[in-house]
Amino acid sequence: METWQTHQVPQIPGTGYPLRLWDVSTGQVRPTAPGKTAKMYVCGITPYDATHLGHAATYLTFDLVYRQWLDAGHDVHYVQNITDIDDPLLERAERDQDDWVVLGMRETALFREDMEALRVLPPQHYIGAVEAIPEIIEVIAKLVADGYAYRVQDEEYPDIYFDHAATGRFGYESNYDEAKMLALFAERGGDPDRAGKRHPLDALLWRMARPGEPSWESEFGAGRPGWHIECSAIALNRLGSGFDLQGGGSDLIFPHHEYSAAHAEALTGEHPFARHYTHAGMIGLDGEKMSKSRGNLVFVSRLRADKVNPNAVRLALLSSHYRTDRFWTDDLLKDAEHRLATWRSAVTLPAAPEAGPVIDRLRQHLADDLDTPSAIAALDSWAQDALGRRGTDLEAPGQVRAAIDALLGIEL
Ligand code: 5CA
Ligand code: ZN
């Protein structure tokens, strides 16, 4: 699929520090250790509704990862999917008497505009599930041939399921116990009670066509793919196994990333699928989780239409640490607008305190598991000094402005 427009990332003097990030599978902050090219896969949207601030916060998190790797001298190979065929999309299209293809295309187009406005660096490969169906069929066929997948005992709809125990490592990503897995599986798109499965935790790979549902021809019969195999296939075919980072919001820790990894590892016989599994916290509104079912979404496009500066939205979402669940409030946005104005005044002064030390602090904080609150505090303190006329360096304002752009993605 077409991706969105990129923008030039300014060059700043020196080199960033190796990035350390939280990894859920080992339960610690560990160094990422990319080769010349850092490889990242971040799960994309299911395009049945507009981009809300929760989505935005997640993509901004991984945008910061991208920027710190660039600053540390790496190229970045970034892949993202679009779940443009799945139950939620079909249900919404049915509810609104919409065409699921048109709905998906419309919301994907809006997402691209939102990402561009928020200055999120685009992936090099932006791949829809629908366009990836031939490659998804190929990997399912291999899982069946290798004995890791089976047909459910159901004469009418003999769907294909994945034996979750195929790799012998199931659970290593989330580290959840079986009771928690069963509960989350049921809550997030799984079907523990489906009759005819060998185990409640086995996950759908291929759903045989039901009347009125879209389907694609395959050697198993017409149908459509399950959710997790989509990301395994798209990531493996572009990044190979052992890529540097699998990312998404914390609601993807289980089941999605556990199964994507298990499918891929059963396919390749290699472990791990990703070297880091990193997740952004959930954004809520007024004390409640932001979700489509609660109807309390704040859309990026709504804020854009209200002429809110996207840099303020970015700064507001980055003002807390990416891993904390947090709430969006009007005050958060007001504070960010105020801070943006202060920073802008500081970087347009004729002279300011030297840039070197504050850029170094910025780099150190961001390399430390994307510690944006400390990075922002360091910039606040430099800006206060600058505005108190405590600096004489003529280059500093421009250099700090470039660093804020390169490392935080904020244009002043
Ligand atoms: N298409 C799948 C991934 S393959 C999917 O989860 N789509 S989504 O549209 O539901 O979510 C897109 C991304 O936004 C996911 O990484 C998800 O974890 C994240 N996300 C969804 N809601 C929130 C929220 N309230 N706060 C933070 N991130 C969120
Ligand atoms: Zn995914």
Side-chain angles (χ1 to χ4, degrees):
M1 281 238 194
E2 201 185 319
T3 179
W4 55 93
Q5 289 287 313
T6 190
H7 61 268
Q8 197 71 34
V9 178
Q11 286 290 327
I12 50 174
T15 310
Y17 297 94
L19 174 64
R20 290 179 298 123
L21 277 181
W22 171 262
D23 163 45
V24 73
S25 73
T26 50
Q28 53 181 326
V29 174
R30 290 195 293 116
T32 60
K36 172 71 188 122
T37 300
K39 299 176 188 170
M40 170 161 79
Y41 184 91
V42 178
C43 283
I45 54 162
T46 304
Y48 65 94
D49 211 339
T51 323
H52 61 63
L53 288 172
H55 301 131
T58 288
Y59 297 108
L60 286 172
T61 298
F62 297 100
D63 186 61
L64 290 196
V65 170
Y66 195 147
R67 287 168 186 275
Q68 309 324 303
W69 275 338
L70 283 181
D71 187 50
H74 301 283
D75 302 320
V76 181
H77 185 178
Y78 179 13
V79 180
Q80 189 178 126
N81 70 306
I82 309 143
T83 308
D84 56 3
I85 177 70
D86 203 2
D87 297 343
L89 189 73
L90 297 178
E91 285 159 14
R92 177 60 64 95
E94 166 93 27
R95 189 197 79 177
D96 295 350
Q97 296 289 292
D98 214 343
D99 179 312
W100 66 274
V101 176
V102 175
L103 173 64
M105 286 177 69
R106 190 169 67 228
E107 299 304 350
T108 304
L110 189 59
F111 176 74
R112 284 195 198 94
E113 281 180 30
D114 291 338
M115 291 296 104
E116 212 171 298
L118 290 170
R119 308 180 84 240
V120 172
L121 298 171
Q124 288 83 14
H125 290 107
Y126 191 43
I127 310 292
V130 170
E131 65 185 325
I133 282 181
E135 58 188 279
I136 299 173
I137 291 173
E138 212 177 298
V139 297
I140 297 174
K142 184 161 191 303
L143 287 171
V144 172
D146 291 347
Y148 299 139
Y150 63 92
R151 284 200 188 265
V152 80
Q153 284 179 0
D154 180 328
E155 276 176 24
E156 198 177 11
Y157 297 119
D159 304 324
I160 299 178
Y161 277 78
F162 175 72
D163 170 5
H164 77 290
T167 60
R169 293 183 190 273
F170 192 77
Y172 87 85
E173 186 263 348
S174 64
N175 294 298
Y176 293 158
D177 62 26
E178 189 163 306
K180 183 158 185 183
M181 286 185 187
L182 281 167
L184 289 174
F185 188 58
E187 203 179 292
R188 299 176 178 161
D191 53 359
D193 300 328
R194 170 76 194 270
K197 291 205 294 185
R198 292 183 191 159
H199 190 284
L201 282 175
D202 291 352
L204 179 72
L205 290 172
W206 189 255
R207 176 178 162 91
M208 302 298 286
R210 310 299 202 259
E213 283 188 8
S215 63
W216 289 263
E217 285 306 326
S218 80
E219 60 198 84
F220 334 109
R224 61 183 167 97
W227 173 26
H228 318 302
I229 193 67
E230 162 192 345
C231 287
S232 316
I234 294 174
L236 267 188
N237 286 337
R238 284 155 194 84
L239 299 172
S241 57
F243 58 91
D244 295 291
L245 169 63
Q246 160 77 303
S250 59
D251 57 339
L252 299 188
I253 294 174
F254 194 89
H256 187 53
H257 288 173
E258 192 75 66
Y259 284 92
S260 303
H263 293 338
E265 292 177 17
L267 275 163
T268 60
E270 290 164 6
H271 170 82
F273 175 51
R275 296 204 270 171
H276 265 74
Y277 297 92
T278 302
H279 301 91
M282 289 287 116
I283 304 293
L285 180 71
D286 301 332
E288 281 200 82
K289 185 182 161 203
M290 205 176 277
S291 77
K292 289 162 191 174
S293 50
R294 288 195 176 85
N296 63 346
L297 306 180
V298 179
F299 296 118
V300 176
S301 43
R302 177 74 248 170
L303 294 174
R304 288 201 287 125
D306 292 343
K307 302 285 182 232
V308 173
N309 180 349
N311 286 290
V313 177
R314 186 184 257 266
L315 187 55
L317 288 171
L318 297 181
S319 63
S320 300
H321 192 258
Y322 76 93
R323 281 199 274 131
T324 37
D325 292 340
R326 53 207 195 274
F327 295 105
W328 177 260
T329 60
D330 289 343
D331 283 347
L332 198 63
L333 183 60
K334 281 199 197 90
D335 288 350
E337 282 169 339
H338 181 252
R339 177 174 275 129
L340 212 53
T342 308
W343 288 3
R344 192 177 300 114
S345 304
V347 302
T348 48
L349 288 168
E354 279 191 85
V358 69
I359 294 179
D360 190 58
R361 286 177 68 193
L362 200 55
R363 280 179 163 143
Q364 284 193 31
H365 291 312
L366 292 172
D368 177 16
D369 196 27
L370 305 176
D371 182 359
T372 51
S374 300
I376 289 171
L379 286 165
D380 283 345
S381 139
W382 176 87
Q384 285 316 318
D385 287 349
L387 292 166
R389 296 290 192 269
R390 286 190 285 277
T392 55
D393 190 323
L394 304 180
E395 307 288 328
Q399 288 171 342
V400 173
R401 177 187 228 156
I404 292 174
D405 185 344
L407 303 176
L408 288 173
I410 291 169
E411 187 179 36
L412 292 174

